[in-house]
Amino acid sequence: MGGNVSSTNFQPDYKPYRLASPFSELEHSYDVVVIGSGYGGSIAASRAARAGLKVCLLEKGKEWRPGDFPEKELNAVKELQMTVHNEKKGYGNSTSLYDLIVSPDVAVLQGCGLGGTSLINANVGLDCETRIYDDEVWPQAFRDDLEKFTTLDRDRVYDMLKPTEYPDNHLDMDKLPKMAAMEKAAKHIADIEDLEYDKILRKVPLYVNFKNKEENHVGIPQPACINCGNCCGGCNTGAKNTLNMNYLPDAKAHGAKMFTEVEVKNITRDEKTDSWRVHYVHHGQDAFENRERVVRAQVVILGAGSLGSTNILLQSKNNGLELSTNIGQRFTTNGDALGFSYNGEDKIRPAGKEVPKVRKRRKGPGPCITSVIDMRHRTDKGLGESYVLEDGTPPCSVDVPYKFLLRWVDSGVDTTPGENDWREWGRHLVGKGWKNSLAFLSMSNDDSSGELKLDPKNGRVWVHYPKVGEGDNFQVVKNGMTHATTALKGYFVPNPFWGGLAAKIRDTKGIVTVHPLGGCIMAESGKDGVVNHAGQAYKGDTDELLSGLYVMDGAVMPRCLGVNPSLTIAMVAERCMRLMAEQRGWNIDYASTKKIDLSLSATPNKPGIKFTERMVGKMSVGNKSSDSDFILTIETQDVEKMISEDPSHAANIYGSVSIPALSDSHLTVSNGHFTLFSKSDGKHHTREMTYRMLLTSNEGQTYYFEGVKVVSKDSAFEIGLSDTTTLNVSLYKGEDNKGDVVGTGRLHIRVKDFIKQLGTMVVTNTTSPLQRLKWKTKFGNFFAGCLWEVYGFAGSPDTAFNPNAPPREKRALKLDDVVPKVHKVSTKDDTELLLTRYEGGTKGPVMLVHDLGMSSRIFVVDTVETNLLEYLVSKGYDVWLADWRASILLPSHKEKSTLDDSAKYDIPALVDKILEVTGSPDIQVMGQCGGSLLVFASLLSGQLEGKIRCLIASQVAFFTHPEKSTWKVNVPHLLYGDGLTAYTDTEVGWKGRFVNRLFETAADLSTEFGEHCSNSVCHRVTIMYGRLYEHDNLSKDTHDNLHEQFGFCSVAFLKHMSKCFSKNYLVSADGKNIYLPDHNKKKPLESVDYMARMRYLNLPILFINGEDNRVYDPKGMDQSYERCKEANPEQDYQRKTSPGYGHIDSIIGKDAVHHVFPKLLPFLDKYAEAGSVVKYTPQKKQSIVPELTVKGDMTDSSLAHAYHYGGEDESMHAQNGDSQVGNGHTTTHENGSNNNGHQFSWHKHGRQGGMRDRSPKNSPRNSPRSSPRSSPRASPSGSPDLGRRESLAPINEPQ
């Protein structure tokens, strides 16, 4: 790291560094296990590590570094987890950053991540009022130790957290507007209360760094605060002194190990070994059964916060641990209250700003809290009237809902009626009143009588605190906030859950607290509390103590503190560790100045990978045999080294093994070592997969597991697909293979587990979606060979239409023994494309080319009886699926390329690759819509001379007459932004819902009632392209999973298509007639240039479209067909239509295998043999596609085809998950629930009578169409014979 410390732009790069260790390094036992990483847990880990103990810290959340925190509303929503009382399933991921627990009267917001709530708190380090400690609820021993507590322990906290007041003229700025506002408010309150305002107003000590430091006191570089105001959303600069900047790196520097995404469930006692068992689940293996595992310790310290520590102890008590019956009692909200002054007379800078904007303009609001009106020291008032009132700045990630609340939900009560009413009304009307607003945060003293209870439905605690909001302290705070608002001449808006709209609807004054305290309070004995004054747990309701079990966080507070509690919690934790060390004879080296070695904390520069697998089988132990299995995660920190450099392809292992014949409990894995396809000693052409790991039972017994899988092929194709591919296992007593053999067995992978296994692959150590996609597929191809291409990623919660649903179960492709082979194709402009070959026979080869905004998946849909790929393979064809640069599976689909680029580079490169691999002189081609247009562009430009045997043009050819309903591509280009996407999911945020509703309305207006539905992707597709299908032609599964087929289409392609639509024929991207010169002359056949182009089309062509096509008017196909027949009258041109079909349903329709595909087959069969067509060759080849420059670097995209049959990868989701309106982007991918509602009915309709027309009688659809039969065009020879044209009817109808 490092940087210019004198520069205001000094910004260390935190990305390469990690405090958490890979989970595979978790050992089976430690001296001390710390649960949670808030102020209590971090201090415990630091001090225990300084005492030279072997320390392990377990954190439920993820590790967050500066730069990781969300600053956009929708990104913040993705990091929200919410648990509602009496509801089984919560919202969001259990490791998400913002943890909201909603109970009937109280909602709690806390941080979840390495560093606990310090990641999202307001950094305030205020001392408790001394009168708080006079309360006899504090144990006598604690009150007797107040002198050391308020000096020695406090000094140690200050040395680490470095509280500092906001400096005058920081960043050469005048007083912050909100500090000036607080000064006004303090003077007004002081006048009312007859106090001196400078005695109640002061700056607050902040855990914030205001000077650039290349290295702080623990070795971490820190920049100065830039005043962005996002403290409570997460500091993205590193200036905030979160625990990741002090106590946690100090713990790591002194040897502590930290592990994230580990949720502790309960604790049990092992009296035989005088140790503790900590039962946990690791959230890295959620795809399979998430089994409890165990880590052992002599000392367990709970620092998981008021709710977290209470939850663990309640669960432990339910599992038999003898604990006090007072667990959960004396919960307090700390008197937290929230209010707002809206639309005052001065501008405030009311919310945080995104870091890049603050760096550019340098006018941020300042830290979340900077000053306090302290009403705690009035000797004539009791604690019930004591409170603090602080300015508050919400983070930019809640900017929009904050504005919405103040402007539309509750604009408050005017505190100065009759003053400047017109001016206030004007600001409110135009939306500027929000800029003159200030949030107030307050803490006071409630009666601390709440209770935390276990919710049997979701396993978490909830708050039982009826009528807490009715407390007199909250009315006192409201009065104070109203006075402050009066000074600012604003409208007072209370917390909507306490005094606003929500409170009125619920008829309850609800409290939202960010400072939950209590639940495991300290007391004189177990009759009154849970722990003693030093945090040690009582045994039952006695005064006897449990050896080695401690709580040291906000849960031990026996009462409300009435101020920001972090400093007091930290002081209590320091005291507990001081006393623990004295009791146990530890020597905490407080004098050590050892700093963290950042080079040892750095993650590899190259991405890593991990995946989870399950194997099942039989294990025999002695004379007992049992069904056994394991669930293991294989993890490497450097995937490139693993697959390319390390000959043993080694990685680490963690997980659990179940062997009932050996132990009733799951055996926890540690010290695991895995090799993938390492060469077998002495066996030619043989490789081995080995598993070696230490197993520990709940009883404390250790065993060594050694498994070897012999692979006779240098490929993973056969792994796990039959019982003949097995893992031979030997089990030894002890910690290595030198002990006695206690068991043997065989395990194997089932197909369903193997497919699920592929979906668990996660690329680590990189934030780049393209890098994740690239390395996931490189490893997938190495590990699973062709199976990865077919089964790879069966669906993912990150990309599925329903993000919370399990991976969609897909039917196996009906390919018999045909194995797909993927070929990367690099074009001359360095764009990487994909070809996937399914060699079903000797016919062909035939290349299938997809449409814009889609991919080759349209040919392999598994939601129909038989897809086009399966159909052609069954007929003996060598099928090649092409993914050209517009494919949503490739990174290139985001680039600003055109059809010209693809015609010049993509199609020739793809065709040449097929010719090279097959040795065939020519190929057959079928193009769907944009794919057809692309092939014609390539043909007409002379790029494919002599290489195309025959062509099927589906839906459009080189004349492009759009349907009148297809107005979308003619929308002004400024509305495209970077492009348009069809992708969305079931639980988008409010912006996404608005966009989806807009699309739904537009789609309903542009289609008949019978075509209306509730699928948001369907609506988007309709608005982007027109009505692509008849709903009755799609299966329900196909319609429900349209998100797998449609994605993003770039603005360049859309603009190019718009040009073609406006001209009604194929033109270049700049609108020039380079493909069909002179076609619009009265006698085009007399034009040399025109005929030169048309000679390139002197090959058999089948022109086919759906008769109900609402995207292209079939007269464009008719015109293309006629022009070909005129120019090359002796050639075999055929013209067919599909009654009852629209556009893409000709490919993905549920009955297309019966009604459409059989009509393609005779044409393909006629020219199935190589060289079966004699083609006209022009005397002179002429390339007419202009030279184009492609900007930007391309990464390896061969990986993209890994999702041919499965759901999209996370990076594709990141690219395709944008709702685009105008020039802006609205990310719409968030976690959510199923969307199963469909407003239309699924039914069959008869086809014997031909197509069923749903359009109005006077619509253009019922008007006569031009056709070869109604308006023949004479050929050069004068012959009216325009070739064969037939109507494509169902196969069982007479022709």
Side-chain angles (χ1 to χ4, degrees):
M1 291 185 178
N4 181 6
V5 294
S6 64
S7 170
T8 57
N9 291 321
F10 170 57
Q11 179 57 62
D13 181 12
Y14 295 101
K15 289 182 180 179
Y17 299 98
R18 297 284 193 282
L19 293 173
S21 299
F23 189 73
S24 56
E25 295 182 9
L26 180 64
E27 299 182 36
H28 63 91
S29 65
Y30 292 86
D31 297 327
V32 178
V33 168
V34 178
I35 302 167
S37 59
Y39 289 97
S42 297
I43 289 170
S46 166
R47 298 324 187 191
R50 279 177 175 259
L53 300 168
K54 185 179 178 182
V55 178
C56 160
L57 182 146
L58 304 177
E59 165 58 47
K60 175 186 171 185
K62 297 172 287 191
E63 180 170 0
W64 291 83
R65 299 148 302 162
D68 290 345
F69 296 98
E71 292 190 342
K72 301 288 188 182
E73 290 89 351
L74 293 178
N75 290 336
V77 170
K78 292 177 186 177
E79 283 301 329
L80 172 68
Q81 55 170 306
M82 182 168 65
T83 305
V84 178
H85 170 55
N86 214 27
E87 290 189 9
K88 184 175 182 180
K89 189 174 182 180
Y91 169 87
N93 193 302
S94 60
T95 61
S96 294
L97 176 62
Y98 310 109
D99 187 5
L100 181 63
I101 299 93
V102 181
S103 303
D105 291 271
V106 177
V108 178
L109 177 64
Q110 57 190 9
C112 180
L114 190 62
T117 301
S118 80
L119 297 172
I120 61 168
N121 71 1
N123 343 300
V124 176
L126 282 172
D127 285 291
C128 240
E129 183 182 359
T130 55
R131 288 188 294 170
I132 294 292
Y133 300 126
D134 294 336
D135 194 328
E136 292 185 358
V137 294
W138 298 91
Q140 187 64 50
F142 180 87
R143 285 179 281 147
D144 291 343
D145 195 33
L146 282 175
E147 182 178 354
K148 284 186 177 181
F149 176 70
T150 56
T151 55
L152 178 61
D153 298 323
R154 183 179 185 275
D155 289 346
R156 285 171 177 164
V157 173
Y158 257 65
D159 286 343
M160 292 298 285
L161 296 182
K162 308 290 184 185
T164 307
E165 293 182 356
Y166 184 83
D168 293 332
N169 300 316
H170 178 55
L171 301 179
D172 299 323
M173 294 173 61
D174 295 331
K175 183 179 293 185
L176 295 172
K178 65 175 185 172
M179 295 181 74
M182 287 293 286
E183 188 173 326
K184 278 187 178 183
K187 288 180 178 179
H188 185 69
I189 292 174
D191 287 343
I192 293 174
E193 298 286 346
D194 195 20
L195 301 168
E196 296 180 35
Y197 93 91
D198 57 349
K199 295 290 181 66
I200 62 173
L201 176 70
R202 67 186 181 100
K203 295 179 181 178
V204 295
L206 297 172
Y207 312 135
V208 177
N209 181 53
F210 293 102
K211 294 182 179 179
N212 291 323
K213 298 177 181 178
E214 284 192 324
E215 193 177 80
N216 70 6
H217 55 297
V218 298
I220 302 291
Q222 280 191 273
C225 175
I226 65 170
N227 283 351
C228 70
N230 293 322
C231 310
C232 290
C235 178
N236 276 325
T237 66
K240 181 179 174 182
N241 291 335
T242 62
L243 294 164
N244 306 63
M245 296 292 172
N246 35 72
Y247 277 109
L248 288 172
D250 182 73
K252 186 177 180 74
H254 289 86
K257 291 282 189 178
M258 305 170 207
F259 302 95
T260 56
E261 298 185 80
V262 181
E263 182 178 358
V264 173
K265 306 303 270 186
N266 62 83
I267 302 163
T268 57
R269 180 73 176 163
D270 187 344
E271 296 292 352
K272 292 182 180 179
T273 59
D274 190 26
S275 64
W276 294 94
R277 293 181 291 254
V278 177
H279 301 257
Y280 67 88
V281 294
H282 180 244
H283 287 290
Q285 296 181 320
D286 292 342
F288 291 92
E289 176 190 356
N290 207 344
R291 294 172 172 172
E292 279 192 12
R293 281 166 269 170
V294 170
V295 60
R296 306 172 75 89
Q298 297 300 309
V299 174
V300 174
I301 302 172
L302 280 83
S306 175
L307 275 64
S309 293
T310 303
N311 192 334
I312 292 168
L313 289 190
L314 283 171
Q315 299 279 15
S316 301
K317 183 175 177 61
N318 288 346
N319 279 285
L321 184 60
E322 195 172 356
L323 293 165
S324 169
T325 56
N326 286 293
I327 300 173
Q329 300 298 316
R330 291 196 63 79
F331 173 83
T332 170
T333 66
N334 201 39
D336 283 5
L338 178 67
F340 309 92
S341 170
Y342 170 66
N343 199 6
E345 65 177 351
D346 299 318
K347 291 186 177 180
I348 303 288
R349 298 177 198 163
K353 301 281 188 182
E354 294 175 32
V355 168
K357 294 180 180 179
V358 176
R359 291 194 187 281
K360 184 177 181 180
R361 300 176 184 175
R362 298 186 63 188
K363 285 190 177 181
C368 177
I369 295 173
T370 54
S371 51
V372 59
I373 298 173
D374 194 340
M375 306 296 288
R376 296 180 296 163
H377 304 292
R378 296 172 293 172
T379 56
D380 59 327
K381 304 288 186 181
L383 286 176
E385 296 183 71
S386 170
Y387 69 93
V388 293
L389 189 64
E390 300 165 347
D391 61 285
T393 301
C396 61
S397 57
V398 298
D399 177 277
V400 171
Y402 183 26
K403 290 179 184 177
F404 183 77
L405 165 69
L406 295 183
R407 188 179 180 194
W408 298 111
V409 177
D410 191 344
S411 54
V413 177
D414 191 356
T415 58
T416 56
E419 295 185 33
N420 300 315
D421 286 352
W422 283 101
R423 186 174 298 176
E424 292 167 357
W425 180 82
R427 286 196 301 265
H428 174 74
L429 186 66
V430 298
K432 292 186 177 180
W434 174 78
K435 294 184 177 180
N436 295 30
S437 302
L438 178 65
F440 297 119
L441 305 174
S442 180
M443 282 125 272
S444 58
N445 290 278
D446 62 21
D447 62 7
S448 306
S449 62
E451 182 181 2
L452 296 177
K453 297 184 175 184
L454 268 180
D455 191 327
K457 287 195 174 181
N458 54 50
R460 301 195 72 183
V461 294
W462 63 282
V463 181
H464 179 65
Y465 207 159
K467 303 297 182 181
V468 58
E470 304 288 346
D472 293 340
N473 61 299
F474 292 108
Q475 186 61 48
V476 170
V477 167
K478 180 200 171 185
N479 294 338
M481 290 182 178
T482 303
H483 295 326
T485 304
T486 302
L488 303 181
K489 298 184 178 180
Y491 288 68
F492 175 65
V493 180
N495 171 8
F497 293 97
W498 184 82
L501 180 63
K504 294 173 184 176
I505 293 174
R506 298 170 64 244
D507 194 25
T508 299
K509 288 188 173 182
I511 298 299
V512 178
T513 179
V514 293
H515 302 132
L517 301 173
C520 302
I521 68 166
M522 61 173 70
E524 299 292 356
S525 75
K527 293 180 181 179
D528 304 306
V530 180
V531 300
N532 71 353
H533 70 99
Q536 190 170 359
Y538 287 114
K539 185 175 183 180
D541 290 347
T542 71
D543 56 5
E544 185 181 349
L545 297 169
L546 291 170
S547 176
L549 181 60
Y550 296 82
V551 183
M552 50 184 71
D553 54 27
V556 305
M557 302 300 159
R559 60 152 295 133
C560 186
L561 300 179
V563 74
N564 311 72
S566 60
L567 179 60
T568 305
I569 294 171
M571 290 164 59
V572 168
E574 284 281 13
R575 178 179 181 272
C576 288
M577 290 306 297
R578 167 169 58 86
L579 298 177
M580 186 189 302
E582 292 173 3
Q583 178 192 31
R584 291 184 164 269
W586 298 346
N587 178 26
I588 300 176
D589 187 1
Y590 291 105
S592 171
T593 58
K594 185 177 182 181
K595 297 181 178 180
I596 190 170
D597 185 344
L598 291 178
S599 65
L600 298 179
S601 300
T603 56
N605 292 326
K606 297 179 180 179
I609 199 164
K610 63 179 181 179
F611 64 92
T612 302
E613 71 172 349
R614 184 185 187 197
M615 297 188 74
V616 300
K618 293 279 188 180
M619 289 290 297
S620 298
V621 178
N623 58 0
K624 292 196 291 185
S625 177
S626 61
D627 293 331
S628 304
D629 70 353
F630 67 52
I631 298 176
L632 301 178
T633 294
I634 316 298
E635 180 180 55
T636 177
Q637 298 298 308
D638 187 344
V639 62
E640 183 175 24
K641 179 181 178 181
M642 179 190 182
I643 64 178
S644 303
E645 301 172 17
D646 181 1
S648 67
H649 309 299
N652 296 320
I653 302 174
Y654 59 85
S656 64
V657 180
S658 175
I659 308 176
L662 187 67
S663 173
D664 292 334
S665 63
H666 297 306
L667 300 154
T668 300
V669 173
S670 60
N671 301 331
H673 185 75
F674 171 79
T675 63
L676 176 64
F677 303 146
S678 58
K679 292 184 178 179
S680 177
D681 295 336
K683 297 180 180 179
H684 191 53
H685 294 305
T686 299
R687 291 178 177 255
E688 294 179 345
M689 296 174 66
T690 63
Y691 300 74
R692 295 181 175 91
M693 49 199 168
L694 184 64
L695 308 182
T696 306
S697 70
N698 282 4
E699 297 76 29
Q701 296 295 319
T702 57
Y703 305 93
Y704 188 75
F705 181 105
E706 187 171 62
V708 179
K709 181 184 296 182
V710 177
V711 184
S712 60
K713 294 186 178 181
D714 193 10
S715 160
F717 175 65
E718 293 183 351
I719 290 180
L721 298 186
S722 71
D723 291 344
T724 59
T725 302
T726 60
L727 181 72
N728 297 304
V729 177
S730 297
L731 201 62
Y732 303 87
K733 189 173 184 178
E735 299 189 2
D736 54 37
N737 59 3
K738 297 179 182 178
D740 295 335
V741 175
V742 295
T744 58
R746 288 184 172 184
L747 305 176
H748 64 273
I749 302 178
R750 297 175 298 190
V751 174
K752 65 178 183 180
D753 288 333
F754 182 76
I755 296 173
K756 187 181 292 187
Q757 173 180 334
L758 296 178
T760 67
M761 289 187 183
V762 176
V763 176
T764 59
N765 306 335
T766 179
T767 58
S768 165
L770 291 180
Q771 284 290 308
R772 288 200 297 264
L773 181 59
K774 170 184 175 180
W775 286 106
K776 179 181 289 187
T777 303
K778 279 196 172 185
F779 181 82
N781 285 327
F782 172 78
F783 171 68
C786 293
L787 286 176
W788 173 256
E789 311 304 336
V790 179
Y791 299 108
F793 240 56
S796 161
D798 291 333
T799 60
F801 185 62
N802 173 13
N804 280 340
R808 181 172 74 85
E809 296 225 7
K810 298 174 182 270
R811 67 168 177 82
L813 291 181
K814 297 180 290 186
L815 299 174
D816 296 326
D817 295 325
V818 175
V819 178
K821 296 179 181 178
V822 179
H823 298 268
K824 288 195 303 183
V825 179
S826 183
T827 67
K828 290 182 179 179
D829 68 339
D830 294 326
T831 300
E832 291 195 342
L833 316 175
L834 292 178
L835 276 169
T836 307
R837 183 185 192 184
Y838 295 84
E839 194 173 0
T842 59
K843 294 181 182 179
V846 57
M847 180 174 76
L848 306 184
V849 186
H850 62 80
D851 197 357
L852 290 167
M854 304 185 76
S855 72
S856 59
R857 283 185 190 157
I858 62 170
F859 305 117
V860 292
V861 288
D862 71 309
T863 52
V864 296
E865 175 189 342
T866 302
N867 57 49
L868 183 55
L869 168 68
E870 294 169 324
Y871 181 80
L872 293 177
V873 166
S874 71
K875 303 302 180 183
Y877 276 87
D878 182 4
V879 184
W880 293 71
L881 305 185
D883 280 281
W884 51 288
R885 70 184 62 204
S887 169
I888 62 173
L889 300 182
L890 303 179
S892 57
H893 82 288
K894 281 283 193 174
E895 300 293 328
K896 293 183 178 180
S897 300
T898 67
L899 290 173
D900 297 334
D901 304 324
S902 303
K904 180 175 182 178
Y905 298 113
D906 296 7
I907 297 300
L910 293 166
V911 171
D912 287 346
K913 185 65 174 182
I914 298 174
L915 298 180
E916 173 194 336
V917 174
T918 63
S920 176
D922 50 25
I923 70 170
Q924 299 171 285
V925 177
M926 175 178 174
Q928 166 64 25
C929 187
S932 174
L933 199 63
L934 176 60
V935 174
F936 275 113
S938 195
L939 280 166
L940 288 167
S941 62
Q943 301 289 319
L944 304 175
E945 181 181 339
K947 299 177 181 179
I948 306 301
R949 192 184 316 153
C950 68
L951 169 65
I952 296 177
S954 177
Q955 309 311 318
V956 69
F958 47 91
F959 281 97
T960 58
H961 293 271
E963 272 281 352
K964 290 184 179 180
S965 62
T966 312
W967 53 270
K968 293 86 194 170
V969 294
N970 292 312
V971 173
H973 296 159
L974 60 89
L975 297 183
Y976 289 152
D978 292 331
L980 295 173
T981 184
Y983 191 83
T984 184
D985 61 43
T986 54
E987 289 296 323
V988 294
W990 69 269
K991 283 186 178 179
R993 289 195 298 272
F994 173 78
V995 172
N996 286 345
R997 183 59 180 168
L998 186 67
F999 274 82
E1000 179 182 6
T1001 302
D1004 287 350
L1005 290 173
S1006 62
T1007 59
E1008 297 87 348
F1009 179 79
E1011 293 297 319
H1012 295 180
C1013 71
S1014 61
N1015 187 315
S1016 296
V1017 176
C1018 183
H1019 303 152
R1020 288 170 178 250
V1021 167
T1022 301
I1023 296 306
M1024 287 174 65
Y1025 306 114
R1027 203 175 93 193
L1028 293 181
Y1029 39 77
E1030 302 293 306
H1031 272 91
D1032 285 344
N1033 288 341
L1034 301 189
S1035 71
K1036 185 177 184 301
D1037 284 342
T1038 299
H1039 187 265
D1040 288 348
N1041 292 283
L1042 289 173
H1043 58 281
E1044 296 178 358
Q1045 304 299 333
F1046 295 95
F1048 179 85
C1049 187
S1050 79
V1051 64
F1053 281 122
L1054 291 170
K1055 286 182 177 180
H1056 195 168
M1057 291 295 291
S1058 179
K1059 290 280 195 340
C1060 296
F1061 271 33
S1062 63
K1063 298 282 189 179
N1064 287 337
Y1065 59 89
L1066 179 62
V1067 296
S1068 65
D1070 56 4
K1072 294 180 180 179
N1073 186 7
I1074 64 172
Y1075 296 106
L1076 296 167
D1078 299 335
H1079 81 276
N1080 50 1
K1081 288 186 175 182
K1082 289 185 177 180
K1083 297 181 179 181
L1085 299 181
E1086 297 178 2
S1087 167
V1088 175
D1089 288 341
Y1090 173 76
M1091 288 302 296
R1093 302 302 186 275
M1094 294 304 293
R1095 293 301 188 213
Y1096 288 127
L1097 302 184
N1098 187 17
L1099 68 153
I1101 302 176
L1102 168 61
F1103 298 87
I1104 183 170
N1105 63 272
E1107 200 164 283
D1108 271 357
N1109 193 326
R1110 301 297 179 92
V1111 180
Y1112 294 97
D1113 192 319
K1115 71 181 181 183
M1117 290 290 270
D1118 293 342
Q1119 190 175 359
S1120 300
Y1121 166 78
E1122 293 169 17
R1123 288 299 186 98
C1124 284
K1125 197 64 182 176
E1126 286 176 342
N1128 306 297
E1130 303 304 320
Q1131 189 53 265
D1132 182 14
Y1133 298 116
Q1134 300 182 26
R1135 179 73 178 96
K1136 299 181 182 181
T1137 58
S1138 311
Y1141 281 84
H1143 188 80
I1144 195 68
D1145 48 350
S1146 295
I1147 303 296
I1148 65 174
K1150 63 177 182 288
D1151 294 321
V1153 64
H1154 302 300
H1155 303 141
V1156 181
F1157 301 166
K1159 295 300 181 179
L1160 308 178
L1161 191 62
F1163 181 78
L1164 288 174
D1165 280 348
K1166 184 174 181 179
Y1167 303 106
E1169 300 300 323
S1172 58
V1173 178
V1174 178
K1175 293 172 284 293
Y1176 171 81
T1177 303
Q1179 294 181 352
K1180 182 178 180 180
K1181 179 178 180 181
Q1182 182 178 6
S1183 176
I1184 60 173
V1185 179
E1187 290 292 335
L1188 297 173
T1189 301
V1190 179
K1191 297 180 179 180
D1193 297 328
M1194 293 303 300
T1195 58
D1196 185 348
S1197 59
S1198 65
L1199 47 116
H1201 207 279
Y1203 309 105
H1204 213 217
Y1205 183 48
E1208 295 178 26
D1209 178 77
E1210 55 211 331
S1211 72
M1212 291 298 99
H1213 187 290
Q1215 292 178 9
N1216 297 342
D1218 297 332
S1219 294
Q1220 303 192 5
V1221 179
N1223 295 319
H1225 296 265
T1226 301
T1227 304
T1228 63
H1229 175 196
E1230 301 167 27
N1231 293 331
S1233 59
N1234 267 321
N1235 178 16
N1236 293 322
H1238 294 271
Q1239 297 175 355
F1240 53 84
S1241 61
W1242 298 93
H1243 57 275
K1244 296 182 180 180
H1245 62 273
R1247 298 183 183 276
Q1248 297 288 1
M1251 66 174 251
R1252 187 179 75 172
D1253 196 346
R1254 299 172 186 78
S1255 56
K1257 295 297 181 182
N1258 58 352
S1259 73
R1261 179 150 307 283
N1262 287 285
S1263 62
R1265 299 186 183 277
S1266 61
S1267 70
R1269 300 187 182 190
S1270 60
S1271 56
R1273 185 186 297 267
S1275 68
S1277 62
S1279 171
D1281 180 11
L1282 300 178
R1284 287 167 294 178
R1285 182 182 192 272
E1286 60 182 283
S1287 176
L1288 181 57
I1291 193 169
N1292 59 350
E1293 293 182 2
Q1295 299 298 303

